[in-house]
Amino acid sequence: FDPAVRAVAPLDLDIPAGQFLSILGPSGCGKSTLLRLIAGLERPTAGSVTIDVDANGNADAHADLERATHHHRRLAYVFQDPHLMPWRRLIDNVALPLELRGDNSATRRAAALDAIERVGLSDAANRHPSQLSGGMRMRASLARALVTQPRLLLLDEPFAALDELTRQNLDEQLLSLWRGGGMTVIFVTHSVAEAAFLSQRAIVLSKRPARIVLDQPIDLPDRRDAALRSDPAFAAALRPLYDALERGAA
């Protein structure tokens, strides 16, 4: 960033293990920057990010201007674009993190096939990215993130470019994967409806520099399906998020 740009204001945010948290805010407010700071892809000029990495409460922190290594954190990041290698089959794209980690070919193949099955792409394992639809490519990107069995999954508007029906289907699939995997999930989105549908909790950020305008539990049933979107309780959950977005953009 230009030294004159202050992307994120001082903020405190605690996220319990296993929670599904969504981050909302105006375009350019610093949502993606906050996610990249959590991932260690950007270095903060002040403050720290601490990630709890084991059952004994031992924490791994990266702070100030130090860049920490992340291979041992079981942290995975899904970008807005799938970033699949066009010359590699789906199974080889999904296995890439394990290849970079040095796992043997048999281990990589078994883990990749399992991740591909979890996202419903078993029939496409030997296809190349050009043979996949947009929704399938995003599922492939999700499988690549899941193949390392992350404890912390970070997603930066992964479904934003997809049509509404595909997006809703992938939202439901992501919820199912989260319930089955015991992961902590931090999900950046522009969609209030998507945040409410997916999350146990949502935070709304102001325009840049980002500060927290609202930190809101989502009071909806744990089990969520397409019918929930037309439930009056769902509409009620959206209202405070919309109001906070308006305040944050002002």
Short mmCIF file of all heavy atoms in Angstrom, two decimals, residues 145-202:
data_model
loop_
_atom_site.label_atom_id
_atom_site.label_comp_id
_atom_site.label_asym_id
_atom_site.label_seq_id
_atom_site.Cartn_x
_atom_site.Cartn_y
_atom_site.Cartn_z
N ALA A 145 -8.36 -26.44 -1.06
CA ALA A 145 -8.18 -25.89 0.28
C ALA A 145 -8.44 -26.95 1.35
O ALA A 145 -7.75 -27.01 2.37
CB ALA A 145 -9.12 -24.70 0.49
N LEU A 146 -9.41 -27.82 1.11
CA LEU A 146 -9.78 -28.82 2.11
C LEU A 146 -8.81 -29.98 2.18
O LEU A 146 -8.78 -30.71 3.16
CB LEU A 146 -11.19 -29.35 1.81
CG LEU A 146 -12.34 -28.35 1.93
CD1 LEU A 146 -13.64 -28.99 1.44
CD2 LEU A 146 -12.50 -27.87 3.36
N VAL A 147 -8.01 -30.17 1.12
CA VAL A 147 -7.17 -31.36 1.05
C VAL A 147 -6.14 -31.43 2.17
O VAL A 147 -5.69 -32.52 2.55
CB VAL A 147 -6.47 -31.46 -0.34
CG1 VAL A 147 -5.30 -30.48 -0.45
CG2 VAL A 147 -6.03 -32.88 -0.65
N THR A 148 -5.78 -30.30 2.74
CA THR A 148 -4.82 -30.28 3.84
C THR A 148 -5.50 -30.43 5.20
O THR A 148 -4.83 -30.34 6.23
CB THR A 148 -4.01 -28.98 3.83
OG1 THR A 148 -4.92 -27.86 3.93
CG2 THR A 148 -3.19 -28.85 2.56
N GLN A 149 -6.83 -30.60 5.19
CA GLN A 149 -7.61 -30.71 6.42
C GLN A 149 -7.37 -29.50 7.33
O GLN A 149 -6.93 -29.64 8.49
CB GLN A 149 -7.32 -32.02 7.15
CG GLN A 149 -7.66 -33.25 6.34
CD GLN A 149 -7.41 -34.54 7.09
OE1 GLN A 149 -6.49 -34.64 7.91
NE2 GLN A 149 -8.23 -35.53 6.82
N PRO A 150 -7.65 -28.29 6.84
CA PRO A 150 -7.34 -27.09 7.62
C PRO A 150 -8.22 -26.97 8.86
O PRO A 150 -9.37 -27.41 8.87
CB PRO A 150 -7.65 -25.97 6.63
CG PRO A 150 -8.71 -26.53 5.74
CD PRO A 150 -8.33 -27.98 5.57
N ARG A 151 -7.66 -26.36 9.86
CA ARG A 151 -8.46 -26.00 11.04
C ARG A 151 -9.04 -24.60 10.89
O ARG A 151 -10.01 -24.26 11.56
CB ARG A 151 -7.59 -26.08 12.29
CG ARG A 151 -7.14 -27.50 12.61
CD ARG A 151 -6.41 -27.57 13.93
NE ARG A 151 -7.27 -27.16 15.02
CZ ARG A 151 -6.86 -27.02 16.29
NH1 ARG A 151 -5.59 -27.25 16.58
NH2 ARG A 151 -7.68 -26.65 17.23
N LEU A 152 -8.42 -23.79 10.03
CA LEU A 152 -8.91 -22.44 9.77
C LEU A 152 -9.03 -22.27 8.26
O LEU A 152 -8.04 -22.40 7.53
CB LEU A 152 -7.94 -21.39 10.34
CG LEU A 152 -8.25 -19.92 10.02
CD1 LEU A 152 -9.63 -19.53 10.53
CD2 LEU A 152 -7.18 -19.02 10.63
N LEU A 153 -10.24 -21.99 7.79
CA LEU A 153 -10.50 -21.82 6.36
C LEU A 153 -10.91 -20.37 6.12
O LEU A 153 -11.89 -19.88 6.70
CB LEU A 153 -11.61 -22.77 5.91
CG LEU A 153 -12.02 -22.71 4.44
CD1 LEU A 153 -10.85 -23.08 3.52
CD2 LEU A 153 -13.22 -23.64 4.17
N LEU A 154 -10.17 -19.67 5.26
CA LEU A 154 -10.42 -18.28 4.92
C LEU A 154 -10.92 -18.22 3.48
O LEU A 154 -10.29 -18.77 2.58
CB LEU A 154 -9.14 -17.45 5.07
CG LEU A 154 -8.40 -17.59 6.41
CD1 LEU A 154 -7.09 -16.81 6.37
CD2 LEU A 154 -9.26 -17.12 7.56
N LEU A 155 -12.05 -17.54 3.26
CA LEU A 155 -12.63 -17.46 1.92
C LEU A 155 -12.93 -16.01 1.58
O LEU A 155 -13.63 -15.31 2.33
CB LEU A 155 -13.92 -18.28 1.83
CG LEU A 155 -13.81 -19.77 2.19
CD1 LEU A 155 -14.37 -20.01 3.59
CD2 LEU A 155 -14.55 -20.64 1.19
N ASP A 156 -12.40 -15.56 0.44
CA ASP A 156 -12.54 -14.17 0.02
C ASP A 156 -13.51 -14.08 -1.16
O ASP A 156 -13.10 -14.22 -2.31
CB ASP A 156 -11.17 -13.59 -0.37
CG ASP A 156 -11.21 -12.09 -0.59
OD1 ASP A 156 -12.30 -11.49 -0.44
OD2 ASP A 156 -10.16 -11.52 -0.93
N GLU A 157 -14.78 -13.89 -0.88
CA GLU A 157 -15.83 -13.77 -1.90
C GLU A 157 -15.72 -14.87 -2.97
O GLU A 157 -15.68 -14.57 -4.17
CB GLU A 157 -15.77 -12.40 -2.57
CG GLU A 157 -16.02 -11.25 -1.61
CD GLU A 157 -16.16 -9.93 -2.35
OE1 GLU A 157 -17.18 -9.73 -3.03
OE2 GLU A 157 -15.23 -9.12 -2.26
N PRO A 158 -15.68 -16.13 -2.57
CA PRO A 158 -15.39 -17.18 -3.54
C PRO A 158 -16.49 -17.41 -4.57
O PRO A 158 -16.22 -17.91 -5.65
CB PRO A 158 -15.20 -18.42 -2.66
CG PRO A 158 -16.02 -18.14 -1.45
CD PRO A 158 -15.86 -16.67 -1.21
N PHE A 159 -17.74 -17.04 -4.23
CA PHE A 159 -18.85 -17.35 -5.12
C PHE A 159 -19.44 -16.11 -5.79
O PHE A 159 -20.49 -16.17 -6.43
CB PHE A 159 -19.97 -18.08 -4.34
CG PHE A 159 -19.48 -19.24 -3.52
CD1 PHE A 159 -20.04 -19.51 -2.28
CD2 PHE A 159 -18.46 -20.07 -3.98
CE1 PHE A 159 -19.59 -20.59 -1.51
CE2 PHE A 159 -18.00 -21.14 -3.22
CZ PHE A 159 -18.58 -21.40 -1.98
N ALA A 160 -18.76 -14.98 -5.67
CA ALA A 160 -19.33 -13.70 -6.11
C ALA A 160 -19.62 -13.66 -7.61
O ALA A 160 -20.56 -12.99 -8.04
CB ALA A 160 -18.40 -12.56 -5.73
N ALA A 161 -18.82 -14.34 -8.42
CA ALA A 161 -18.97 -14.25 -9.88
C ALA A 161 -19.96 -15.27 -10.44
O ALA A 161 -20.16 -15.32 -11.66
CB ALA A 161 -17.61 -14.44 -10.55
N LEU A 162 -20.58 -16.05 -9.59
CA LEU A 162 -21.45 -17.13 -10.04
C LEU A 162 -22.91 -16.68 -10.09
O LEU A 162 -23.31 -15.73 -9.41
CB LEU A 162 -21.32 -18.33 -9.11
CG LEU A 162 -19.90 -18.89 -8.96
CD1 LEU A 162 -19.88 -20.01 -7.93
CD2 LEU A 162 -19.36 -19.40 -10.30
N ASP A 163 -23.73 -17.39 -10.88
CA ASP A 163 -25.15 -17.08 -10.92
C ASP A 163 -25.78 -17.42 -9.57
O ASP A 163 -25.24 -18.19 -8.77
CB ASP A 163 -25.85 -17.86 -12.05
CG ASP A 163 -25.83 -19.35 -11.82
OD1 ASP A 163 -26.74 -19.86 -11.13
OD2 ASP A 163 -24.91 -20.03 -12.32
N GLU A 164 -26.97 -16.85 -9.33
CA GLU A 164 -27.57 -16.92 -8.00
C GLU A 164 -27.87 -18.36 -7.57
O GLU A 164 -27.62 -18.75 -6.42
CB GLU A 164 -28.87 -16.10 -7.97
CG GLU A 164 -29.47 -15.93 -6.58
CD GLU A 164 -28.58 -15.10 -5.64
OE1 GLU A 164 -27.69 -14.38 -6.13
OE2 GLU A 164 -28.79 -15.21 -4.42
N LEU A 165 -28.39 -19.19 -8.47
CA LEU A 165 -28.73 -20.56 -8.10
C LEU A 165 -27.48 -21.36 -7.77
O LEU A 165 -27.44 -22.08 -6.76
CB LEU A 165 -29.51 -21.23 -9.23
CG LEU A 165 -30.01 -22.65 -8.94
CD1 LEU A 165 -30.92 -22.66 -7.72
CD2 LEU A 165 -30.75 -23.22 -10.15
N THR A 166 -26.43 -21.23 -8.59
CA THR A 166 -25.18 -21.92 -8.32
C THR A 166 -24.59 -21.45 -6.99
O THR A 166 -24.10 -22.26 -6.19
CB THR A 166 -24.17 -21.69 -9.45
OG1 THR A 166 -24.71 -22.17 -10.68
CG2 THR A 166 -22.85 -22.39 -9.18
N ARG A 167 -24.67 -20.16 -6.77
CA ARG A 167 -24.13 -19.60 -5.53
C ARG A 167 -24.86 -20.16 -4.31
O ARG A 167 -24.23 -20.55 -3.33
CB ARG A 167 -24.27 -18.08 -5.58
CG ARG A 167 -23.67 -17.34 -4.40
CD ARG A 167 -23.70 -15.85 -4.66
NE ARG A 167 -23.07 -15.08 -3.62
CZ ARG A 167 -22.63 -13.84 -3.76
NH1 ARG A 167 -22.74 -13.25 -4.94
NH2 ARG A 167 -22.07 -13.20 -2.76
N GLN A 168 -26.18 -20.23 -4.38
CA GLN A 168 -26.95 -20.76 -3.26
C GLN A 168 -26.63 -22.23 -3.02
O GLN A 168 -26.50 -22.68 -1.87
CB GLN A 168 -28.44 -20.56 -3.51
CG GLN A 168 -28.87 -19.11 -3.42
CD GLN A 168 -30.36 -18.93 -3.62
OE1 GLN A 168 -31.13 -19.89 -3.63
NE2 GLN A 168 -30.80 -17.68 -3.77
N ASN A 169 -26.47 -22.99 -4.10
CA ASN A 169 -26.12 -24.41 -3.96
C ASN A 169 -24.76 -24.58 -3.29
O ASN A 169 -24.56 -25.45 -2.43
CB ASN A 169 -26.14 -25.10 -5.32
CG ASN A 169 -27.53 -25.30 -5.86
OD1 ASN A 169 -28.51 -25.32 -5.11
ND2 ASN A 169 -27.65 -25.44 -7.17
N LEU A 170 -23.81 -23.74 -3.69
CA LEU A 170 -22.47 -23.83 -3.10
C LEU A 170 -22.47 -23.35 -1.64
O LEU A 170 -21.72 -23.88 -0.82
CB LEU A 170 -21.47 -23.03 -3.93
CG LEU A 170 -21.10 -23.66 -5.28
CD1 LEU A 170 -20.19 -22.74 -6.07
CD2 LEU A 170 -20.42 -25.01 -5.07
N ASP A 171 -23.31 -22.37 -1.33
CA ASP A 171 -23.46 -21.96 0.08
C ASP A 171 -23.90 -23.14 0.93
O ASP A 171 -23.36 -23.40 2.02
CB ASP A 171 -24.48 -20.83 0.20
CG ASP A 171 -23.95 -19.48 -0.24
OD1 ASP A 171 -22.72 -19.34 -0.39
OD2 ASP A 171 -24.77 -18.57 -0.46
N GLU A 172 -24.89 -23.88 0.44
CA GLU A 172 -25.39 -25.03 1.19
C GLU A 172 -24.31 -26.11 1.31
O GLU A 172 -24.17 -26.75 2.37
CB GLU A 172 -26.65 -25.58 0.52
CG GLU A 172 -27.85 -24.65 0.63
CD GLU A 172 -29.07 -25.15 -0.11
OE1 GLU A 172 -29.24 -26.38 -0.20
OE2 GLU A 172 -29.85 -24.32 -0.61
N GLN A 173 -23.54 -26.30 0.25
CA GLN A 173 -22.48 -27.30 0.30
C GLN A 173 -21.38 -26.89 1.27
O GLN A 173 -20.84 -27.72 2.02
CB GLN A 173 -21.91 -27.51 -1.10
CG GLN A 173 -20.93 -28.67 -1.19
CD GLN A 173 -20.64 -29.06 -2.62
OE1 GLN A 173 -20.57 -28.20 -3.50
NE2 GLN A 173 -20.45 -30.34 -2.86
N LEU A 174 -21.03 -25.60 1.27
CA LEU A 174 -20.01 -25.11 2.19
C LEU A 174 -20.46 -25.31 3.64
O LEU A 174 -19.67 -25.73 4.49
CB LEU A 174 -19.72 -23.64 1.92
CG LEU A 174 -18.73 -22.95 2.86
CD1 LEU A 174 -17.38 -23.66 2.84
CD2 LEU A 174 -18.58 -21.48 2.48
N LEU A 175 -21.73 -25.04 3.93
CA LEU A 175 -22.25 -25.25 5.28
C LEU A 175 -22.11 -26.72 5.69
O LEU A 175 -21.73 -27.03 6.82
CB LEU A 175 -23.72 -24.83 5.35
CG LEU A 175 -24.03 -23.41 5.78
CD1 LEU A 175 -25.54 -23.21 5.87
CD2 LEU A 175 -23.39 -23.08 7.12
N SER A 176 -22.44 -27.61 4.76
CA SER A 176 -22.34 -29.04 5.05
C SER A 176 -20.89 -29.44 5.34
O SER A 176 -20.61 -30.20 6.28
CB SER A 176 -22.89 -29.85 3.87
OG SER A 176 -22.76 -31.23 4.09
N LEU A 177 -19.95 -28.90 4.56
CA LEU A 177 -18.54 -29.21 4.77
C LEU A 177 -18.05 -28.66 6.12
O LEU A 177 -17.27 -29.30 6.82
CB LEU A 177 -17.70 -28.62 3.64
CG LEU A 177 -17.89 -29.28 2.27
CD1 LEU A 177 -17.26 -28.43 1.18
CD2 LEU A 177 -17.28 -30.69 2.25
N TRP A 178 -18.51 -27.48 6.47
CA TRP A 178 -18.13 -26.88 7.75
C TRP A 178 -18.65 -27.72 8.91
O TRP A 178 -17.92 -28.01 9.86
CB TRP A 178 -18.65 -25.45 7.83
CG TRP A 178 -18.58 -24.86 9.21
CD1 TRP A 178 -17.45 -24.54 9.91
CD2 TRP A 178 -19.68 -24.52 10.05
NE1 TRP A 178 -17.78 -24.01 11.13
CE2 TRP A 178 -19.14 -23.99 11.24
CE3 TRP A 178 -21.06 -24.59 9.90
CZ2 TRP A 178 -19.96 -23.56 12.28
CZ3 TRP A 178 -21.88 -24.16 10.93
CH2 TRP A 178 -21.32 -23.64 12.12
N ARG A 179 -19.91 -28.14 8.83
CA ARG A 179 -20.47 -28.95 9.92
C ARG A 179 -19.71 -30.25 10.08
O ARG A 179 -19.52 -30.75 11.20
CB ARG A 179 -21.95 -29.26 9.63
CG ARG A 179 -22.88 -28.07 9.72
CD ARG A 179 -24.32 -28.54 9.70
NE ARG A 179 -25.23 -27.45 9.38
CZ ARG A 179 -25.77 -27.26 8.18
NH1 ARG A 179 -25.50 -28.10 7.19
NH2 ARG A 179 -26.58 -26.25 7.95
N GLY A 180 -19.27 -30.84 8.98
CA GLY A 180 -18.61 -32.13 9.05
C GLY A 180 -17.14 -32.06 9.36
O GLY A 180 -16.53 -33.07 9.73
N GLY A 181 -16.53 -30.85 9.25
CA GLY A 181 -15.08 -30.77 9.37
C GLY A 181 -14.55 -30.17 10.64
O GLY A 181 -13.35 -30.27 10.91
N GLY A 182 -15.38 -29.52 11.45
CA GLY A 182 -14.91 -28.91 12.68
C GLY A 182 -13.99 -27.72 12.48
O GLY A 182 -13.20 -27.37 13.36
N MET A 183 -14.07 -27.08 11.31
CA MET A 183 -13.19 -25.95 11.00
C MET A 183 -13.72 -24.65 11.58
O MET A 183 -14.92 -24.49 11.81
CB MET A 183 -13.08 -25.78 9.48
CG MET A 183 -12.55 -26.95 8.72
SD MET A 183 -12.62 -26.65 6.92
CE MET A 183 -14.41 -26.70 6.65
N THR A 184 -12.82 -23.72 11.77
CA THR A 184 -13.19 -22.31 11.92
C THR A 184 -13.19 -21.71 10.52
O THR A 184 -12.25 -21.90 9.76
CB THR A 184 -12.17 -21.57 12.80
OG1 THR A 184 -12.05 -22.26 14.06
CG2 THR A 184 -12.60 -20.13 13.04
N VAL A 185 -14.26 -20.98 10.18
CA VAL A 185 -14.38 -20.40 8.84
C VAL A 185 -14.56 -18.88 8.96
O VAL A 185 -15.38 -18.40 9.75
CB VAL A 185 -15.57 -21.00 8.06
CG1 VAL A 185 -15.72 -20.33 6.71
CG2 VAL A 185 -15.39 -22.51 7.89
N ILE A 186 -13.77 -18.15 8.18
CA ILE A 186 -13.94 -16.69 8.05
C ILE A 186 -14.22 -16.41 6.59
O ILE A 186 -13.41 -16.73 5.72
CB ILE A 186 -12.70 -15.93 8.53
CG1 ILE A 186 -12.32 -16.36 9.96
CG2 ILE A 186 -12.96 -14.42 8.49
CD1 ILE A 186 -11.05 -15.71 10.47
N PHE A 187 -15.39 -15.83 6.32
CA PHE A 187 -15.93 -15.72 4.97
C PHE A 187 -16.19 -14.26 4.64
O PHE A 187 -17.02 -13.61 5.29
CB PHE A 187 -17.23 -16.52 4.91
CG PHE A 187 -17.82 -16.69 3.54
CD1 PHE A 187 -17.54 -17.81 2.77
CD2 PHE A 187 -18.70 -15.75 3.02
CE1 PHE A 187 -18.11 -17.99 1.51
CE2 PHE A 187 -19.26 -15.90 1.77
CZ PHE A 187 -18.97 -17.03 1.01
N VAL A 188 -15.48 -13.73 3.66
CA VAL A 188 -15.72 -12.35 3.21
C VAL A 188 -16.74 -12.36 2.09
O VAL A 188 -16.64 -13.15 1.14
CB VAL A 188 -14.40 -11.70 2.72
CG1 VAL A 188 -14.68 -10.42 1.94
CG2 VAL A 188 -13.49 -11.41 3.90
N THR A 189 -17.75 -11.48 2.19
CA THR A 189 -18.78 -11.41 1.16
C THR A 189 -19.35 -10.00 1.09
O THR A 189 -19.30 -9.24 2.06
CB THR A 189 -19.91 -12.43 1.45
OG1 THR A 189 -20.93 -12.33 0.44
CG2 THR A 189 -20.56 -12.19 2.80
N HIS A 190 -19.91 -9.66 -0.08
CA HIS A 190 -20.69 -8.43 -0.22
C HIS A 190 -22.17 -8.68 0.02
O HIS A 190 -22.96 -7.74 0.11
CB HIS A 190 -20.52 -7.85 -1.64
CG HIS A 190 -19.31 -6.99 -1.80
ND1 HIS A 190 -18.20 -7.39 -2.49
CD2 HIS A 190 -19.04 -5.76 -1.32
CE1 HIS A 190 -17.29 -6.43 -2.46
NE2 HIS A 190 -17.78 -5.43 -1.75
N SER A 191 -22.57 -9.94 0.06
CA SER A 191 -23.98 -10.30 0.10
C SER A 191 -24.48 -10.46 1.54
O SER A 191 -24.04 -11.36 2.26
CB SER A 191 -24.21 -11.61 -0.67
OG SER A 191 -25.52 -12.11 -0.44
N VAL A 192 -25.41 -9.60 1.93
CA VAL A 192 -25.99 -9.70 3.27
C VAL A 192 -26.74 -11.02 3.42
O VAL A 192 -26.65 -11.70 4.45
CB VAL A 192 -26.94 -8.51 3.52
CG1 VAL A 192 -27.75 -8.71 4.79
CG2 VAL A 192 -26.14 -7.21 3.61
N ALA A 193 -27.48 -11.42 2.38
CA ALA A 193 -28.24 -12.68 2.45
C ALA A 193 -27.30 -13.87 2.60
O ALA A 193 -27.59 -14.81 3.35
CB ALA A 193 -29.11 -12.83 1.21
N GLU A 194 -26.19 -13.87 1.88
CA GLU A 194 -25.25 -14.96 1.98
C GLU A 194 -24.63 -15.02 3.37
O GLU A 194 -24.49 -16.10 3.96
CB GLU A 194 -24.14 -14.79 0.93
CG GLU A 194 -23.17 -15.94 0.85
CD GLU A 194 -22.23 -15.82 -0.34
OE1 GLU A 194 -21.57 -14.76 -0.47
OE2 GLU A 194 -22.15 -16.77 -1.13
N ALA A 195 -24.28 -13.86 3.91
CA ALA A 195 -23.70 -13.81 5.26
C ALA A 195 -24.67 -14.36 6.29
O ALA A 195 -24.30 -15.15 7.17
CB ALA A 195 -23.30 -12.38 5.60
N ALA A 196 -25.94 -13.96 6.20
CA ALA A 196 -26.94 -14.41 7.16
C ALA A 196 -27.19 -15.91 7.04
O ALA A 196 -27.36 -16.61 8.03
CB ALA A 196 -28.23 -13.63 6.99
N PHE A 197 -27.22 -16.40 5.79
CA PHE A 197 -27.52 -17.81 5.57
C PHE A 197 -26.39 -18.70 6.11
O PHE A 197 -26.64 -19.75 6.70
CB PHE A 197 -27.72 -18.08 4.08
CG PHE A 197 -28.09 -19.51 3.77
CD1 PHE A 197 -29.41 -19.93 3.89
CD2 PHE A 197 -27.15 -20.43 3.38
CE1 PHE A 197 -29.76 -21.24 3.62
CE2 PHE A 197 -27.47 -21.74 3.11
CZ PHE A 197 -28.80 -22.15 3.23
N LEU A 198 -25.16 -18.28 5.93
CA LEU A 198 -24.02 -19.13 6.25
C LEU A 198 -23.60 -19.06 7.72
O LEU A 198 -23.13 -20.06 8.28
CB LEU A 198 -22.81 -18.74 5.39
CG LEU A 198 -22.85 -19.10 3.91
CD1 LEU A 198 -21.69 -18.43 3.18
CD2 LEU A 198 -22.79 -20.61 3.73
N SER A 199 -23.75 -17.91 8.33
CA SER A 199 -22.94 -17.60 9.50
C SER A 199 -23.63 -17.84 10.83
O SER A 199 -24.84 -17.73 10.97
CB SER A 199 -22.50 -16.13 9.45
OG SER A 199 -21.95 -15.83 8.19
N GLN A 200 -22.80 -18.09 11.83
CA GLN A 200 -23.23 -18.00 13.21
C GLN A 200 -23.12 -16.57 13.72
O GLN A 200 -23.77 -16.19 14.69
CB GLN A 200 -22.37 -18.90 14.09
CG GLN A 200 -22.49 -20.39 13.80
CD GLN A 200 -21.55 -21.18 14.69
OE1 GLN A 200 -20.34 -20.94 14.71
NE2 GLN A 200 -22.10 -22.12 15.43
N ARG A 201 -22.26 -15.80 13.04
CA ARG A 201 -21.96 -14.44 13.49
C ARG A 201 -21.48 -13.65 12.29
O ARG A 201 -20.82 -14.19 11.40
CB ARG A 201 -20.87 -14.51 14.55
CG ARG A 201 -20.28 -13.20 15.03
CD ARG A 201 -19.10 -13.53 15.94
NE ARG A 201 -18.35 -12.37 16.38
CZ ARG A 201 -17.11 -12.43 16.87
NH1 ARG A 201 -16.50 -13.60 16.97
NH2 ARG A 201 -16.49 -11.32 17.26
N ALA A 202 -21.83 -12.36 12.24
CA ALA A 202 -21.35 -11.50 11.15
C ALA A 202 -20.83 -10.21 11.75
O ALA A 202 -21.39 -9.68 12.72
CB ALA A 202 -22.48 -11.21 10.16
#
